């Protein structure tokens, strides 16, 4: 049963939902959280300077009290959107759920459970790329490649560093000194955790990659930025 936190009640979970030009999915993404069976939570939707009507949909929506909409006047990148959400988070744990419907809110309890039990301080939802859920051959190869690079650089074993479905203790999340603006924020989060000696717990999640026509934004250049970020964090 969904518990709606009151004005003074701190929720257990903060769900950070960065959104940029997601007019086609934003309402369904928010509703998917509202419909999910979750412990007490708040949803922070960060509109990152959208220009396609997303901002207006969020501003005019009749959202319950535990849904807060934060806005950037201009596009600053996913990394900055996540930092805004983490700064505002009131929950003990913060989980990331993109607004593009590639991940499911129903998987959040599985991410939170290892945190609650004390088995982990950071949990990644790993994607099992399959023919019906992968964007393309090179997309999967790129994800596997950057994961291999991270494991070699940090002497670790993580199957999916670029997953957009993560859950981390909020205070730990705030302390990571993140600075990446774009999609390389995912690699920076991983690198900072590994540099701290934090063991990352992995749980399988359901994933459906959207197509370029549906709004997929990642490019090969992002893969290069990811490798640079992993190396930068290793030496800094």
């Amino acid at each position: 049963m969904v518990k709606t936190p009151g004005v003074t009640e701190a929720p257990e979970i903060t769900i950070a939902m960065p959104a940029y030009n997601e007019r086609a999915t934003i309402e369904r993404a928010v509703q998917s959280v509202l419909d999910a069976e979750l412990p007490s939570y708040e949803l922070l939707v960060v509109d990152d300077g959208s220009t396609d009507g997303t901002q207006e949909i969020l501003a005019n929506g009749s959202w319950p009290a535990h849904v807060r909409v934060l806005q950037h006047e201009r596009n600053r990148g996913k990394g900055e959107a996540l930092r805004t959400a983490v700064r505002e988070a009131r929950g003990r744990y913060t989980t990331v759920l993109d607004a593009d419907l590639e991940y499911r809110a129903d998987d959040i309890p599985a991410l939170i459970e290892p945190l609650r039990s004390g088995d982990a301080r950071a949990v990644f939802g790993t994607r099992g790329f399959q023919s019906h859920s992968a964007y393309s051959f090179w997309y999967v190869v790129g994800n596997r490649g950057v994961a291999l690079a991270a494991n070699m650089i940090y002497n670790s074993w993580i199957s999916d560093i670029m997953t957009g479905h993560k859950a981390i203790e909020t205070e730990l999340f705030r302390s990571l000194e993140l600075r990446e603006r774009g999609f390389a924020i995912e690699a920076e989060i991983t690198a900072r955790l590994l540099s701290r000696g934090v063991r990352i717990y992995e749980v399988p999640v359901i994933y459906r990659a959207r197509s370029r026509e549906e709004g997929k934004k990642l490019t090969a250049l992002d893969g290069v930025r990811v490798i640079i970020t992993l190396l930068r964090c290793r030496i800094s």
Side-chain angles (χ1 to χ4, degrees):
M1 180 177 182
V2 173
K3 300 177 182 178
T4 303
V7 174
T8 59
E9 179 186 355
E12 181 179 18
I13 305 169
T14 293
I15 302 170
M17 181 178 286
Y20 175 63
N21 286 350
E22 300 290 1
R23 179 181 59 185
T25 60
I26 188 63
E27 288 183 284
R28 284 180 291 156
V30 173
Q31 193 61 49
S32 74
V33 175
L34 298 178
D35 291 342
E37 295 289 327
L38 301 173
S40 73
Y41 72 93
E42 64 175 352
L43 172 61
L44 301 186
V45 185
V46 183
D47 176 69
D48 189 31
S50 295
T51 58
D52 70 337
T54 300
Q55 188 175 113
E56 289 72 22
I57 292 171
L58 290 170
N60 296 326
S62 298
W63 313 118
H66 58 297
V67 177
R68 289 195 283 155
V69 178
L70 310 173
Q71 292 188 341
H72 291 167
E73 292 183 2
R74 58 180 177 80
N75 180 241
R76 301 179 186 174
K78 182 178 182 179
E80 192 62 42
L82 284 182
R83 285 192 288 275
T84 293
V86 171
R87 281 195 299 268
E88 294 287 332
R90 297 190 303 131
R92 181 178 180 184
Y93 311 117
T94 295
T95 183
V96 181
L97 180 68
D98 292 339
D100 54 15
L101 299 179
E102 290 190 328
Y103 300 90
R104 302 195 325 166
D106 290 335
D107 284 327
I108 290 175
L111 294 174
I112 296 299
E113 184 53 38
L115 301 175
R116 282 174 142 185
S117 65
D119 290 327
R121 302 185 67 195
V123 182
F124 285 14
T126 61
R127 299 167 290 179
F129 292 109
Q130 298 166 316
S131 61
H132 62 277
S133 63
Y135 167 57
S136 71
F137 171 79
W138 291 112
Y139 176 70
V140 176
V141 169
N143 274 276
R144 298 300 191 212
V146 295
L148 177 61
N151 289 323
M152 292 175 64
I153 294 168
Y154 291 90
N155 190 26
S156 61
W157 183 252
I158 303 172
S159 62
D160 189 3
I161 72 166
M162 294 300 291
T163 176
H165 217 1
K166 298 177 171 72
I168 304 173
E169 292 178 354
T170 299
E171 289 306 313
L172 174 60
F173 212 153
R174 286 196 182 114
S175 72
L176 293 181
E177 299 179 351
L178 303 171
R179 75 184 202 193
E180 284 295 325
R181 294 184 57 191
F183 293 109
I185 188 68
E186 309 291 5
E188 188 176 33
I189 291 169
T190 304
R192 292 304 186 195
L193 289 170
L194 293 175
S195 295
R196 296 275 189 91
V198 177
R199 295 201 61 161
I200 296 169
Y201 196 108
E202 294 186 302
V203 299
V205 296
I206 294 175
Y207 174 75
R208 186 197 70 84
R210 59 182 176 174
S211 67
R212 191 71 68 190
E213 292 72 26
E214 291 174 308
K216 192 73 177 174
K217 300 181 178 78
L218 276 171
T219 67
L221 185 58
D222 289 303
V224 175
R225 293 191 181 107
V226 164
I227 299 298
I228 293 172
T229 298
L230 291 170
L231 292 170
R232 171 178 63 78
C233 293
R234 189 73 177 100
I235 63 178
S236 65

